[in-house]
Amino acid sequence: MDKFTVLESVAAPLRIINIDTDMIIPKQYLKTIKRTGLGKGLFSEMRYREDGSENPDFVLNQPAYRNAKILITGDNFGCGSSREHAPWALLDFGIRCVISTSFADIFYNNCFQNGILPIKVSPEDLEKLFDDAGRGANATLTVDLESQEIRGPDGGKIHFDIDPFKKHCLLNGLDGIGLTMEKASAIDSFEKKLSERAWA
């Protein structure tokens, strides 16, 4: 998993509340267990028209936001079914950070396991960020995980809280497997002792 330290990017404003995982990645894309290739299906029911062409009104299809790595969105993001394909699709598209006032718990935790930083802010701060994001390519945000702050294009700062363990994992690029591998020497030592006992 890639480390998350400092991210500087244009932020795409998606002013919709209660975006569920079916909207993030519709069911027809769930046939794979691969984490790659899902970016094309991200928000597909909003990104594409019925004939398969792009919907020019959808934010991620607009030139200023095509390469956005930060998503600013409405309350209760990631609700609905607990599909891990949702953070996979966001990451495959290039989104490394999602900012909202609230997230569904399972989606929130899945983000950390996949190298995405979900940030909770107050409604007032979210409005400031929506305003910044609305300026398109002329306004980039900087998300600094170590200092736990979002810096706006005009020098404003928003502090955010994060669980220290989750912060440690993201800063060091550790998912569940990575955390286990940190204990590899202790595991090897234990298995060696166990094997020696079995032969004794």
Side-chain angles (χ1 to χ4, degrees), residues 114-192:
N114 289 282
I116 296 173
L117 173 60
I119 298 176
K120 298 176 187 177
V121 297
S122 69
E124 296 76 23
D125 285 340
L126 189 71
E127 278 306 310
K128 291 177 195 170
L129 293 168
F130 269 131
D131 288 343
D132 285 339
R135 291 155 60 185
N138 297 320
T140 59
L141 298 181
T142 300
V143 177
D144 188 329
L145 179 54
E146 182 65 54
S147 62
Q148 295 178 214
E149 65 182 21
I150 304 163
R151 295 188 285 273
D154 300 323
K157 294 179 182 178
I158 295 171
H159 179 80
F160 61 89
D161 294 321
I162 184 171
D163 175 82
F165 176 70
K166 287 180 168 62
K167 177 180 178 178
H168 166 79
C169 290
L170 270 184
L171 284 171
N172 293 283
L174 299 171
D175 57 9
I177 294 170
L179 281 166
T180 302
M181 294 309 294
E182 280 196 319
K183 308 290 185 189
S185 60
I187 293 168
D188 290 344
S189 176
F190 173 79
E191 288 185 340
K192 184 179 178 187

Side-chain angles (χ1 to χ4, degrees), residues 18-21 24 76-81 103-108:
N18 301 321
I19 291 180
D20 63 30
T21 52
I24 297 170
N76 197 29
F77 188 81
C79 56
S81 59
F103 296 90
D105 287 343
I106 294 174
F107 173 83
Y108 183 76

Side-chain angles (χ1 to χ4, degrees), residues 3 10 14 41 55 57 67 72 109 118 145-146 163 165 196:
K3 295 178 180 179
V10 166
L14 189 58
N55 172 7
D57 296 327
N67 297 311
I72 314 289
N109 288 311
L145 179 54
E146 182 65 54
D163 175 82
F165 176 70
E196 287 169 354

